[in-house]
Amino acid sequence: MPDTRFWILGFAMLIWFILNLLVRWLLRVNLFSKLINGEPEILIKDGKIDMTILKRNNLGIDQFRAKLRESEIFSLLDVEEVVFETDGEFTIIKKKSGSESFLLISNGEIVEEQLKDSGHDKSWLQKNLKELGYDKMEEIFCAEYTPRRGFYIIDMDGNIMNKNKKGEVHKVDEIDIDKKKAEEKNS
């Protein structure tokens, strides 16, 4: 008669393997990914601190200012925006610093809030993606847009598309589109 402990161990390992695969699959679904990983929260926007986020995450002002000092910011007056990331770190944008970027597509789905924050709508996004050769959002793993710099796109196969203003393979830029419109009007 076979040892029953061996079969119990084998069954437990099979259940563990199936649960692991199930969790990995669920993490690919945006809803479950947000539920498990959370979403970044804007702690400071336009120089105003959202106290509810500080309290909800048990952050004291001393801890927060220490993080700012680590980024060589010694005054809250020098901060334009701070994002509290899902891993507990801060992304800090100084006043009058570089461009903010927006994740417009994640796992083939439009990130509505980011699209709205970028000042654009779905038709603008679809038009620009079509110009880059993407007819379906589902073809795109992620699409990031940075004003004055353009798009950075990774498709589901891992190919990267980044077209810059000079037309070198890699980005659609608002400025280029505006120039095209102006040229069309003048023609």
Side-chain angles (χ1 to χ4, degrees), residues 148-162:
R148 294 188 198 91
R149 295 183 69 198
F151 284 96
Y152 184 86
I153 299 171
I154 302 174
D155 66 21
M156 289 297 187
D157 296 326
N159 300 315
I160 296 172
M161 167 61 117
N162 177 21

Side-chain angles (χ1 to χ4, degrees), residues 119-136:
H120 298 289
D121 60 14
K122 190 174 179 177
S123 62
W124 172 87
L125 178 60
Q126 289 172 327
K127 177 183 174 240
N128 282 288
L129 292 175
K130 192 167 185 92
E131 287 179 12
L132 289 171
Y134 296 99
D135 294 323
K136 298 178 184 173

Side-chain angles (χ1 to χ4, degrees), residues 19 67 73 76 83 87 93 95 109 121 124 145 153 175:
L19 283 174
K67 283 292 191 181
I73 298 174
L76 289 170
V83 178
D87 64 356
I93 300 172
K95 286 189 177 177
E109 296 180 19
D121 60 14
W124 172 87
Y145 173 72
I153 299 171
I175 295 171

Side-chain angles (χ1 to χ4, degrees), residues 5 9 16 20 24 32 41 60 62 67 79 81 84 91 109 111 116 118 120-121 128 137 143 146 153 158 166 179:
R5 285 181 264 165
L9 179 62
W16 181 255
N20 191 359
R24 286 179 186 219
F32 290 103
E41 297 181 294
D62 293 331
K67 283 292 191 181
V79 177
E81 186 171 307
F84 187 53
T91 299
E109 296 180 19
V111 183
K116 183 179 139 201
S118 74
H120 298 289
D121 60 14
N128 282 288
M137 303 287 176
T146 305
I153 299 171
K166 296 177 183 176
K179 284 179 184 177

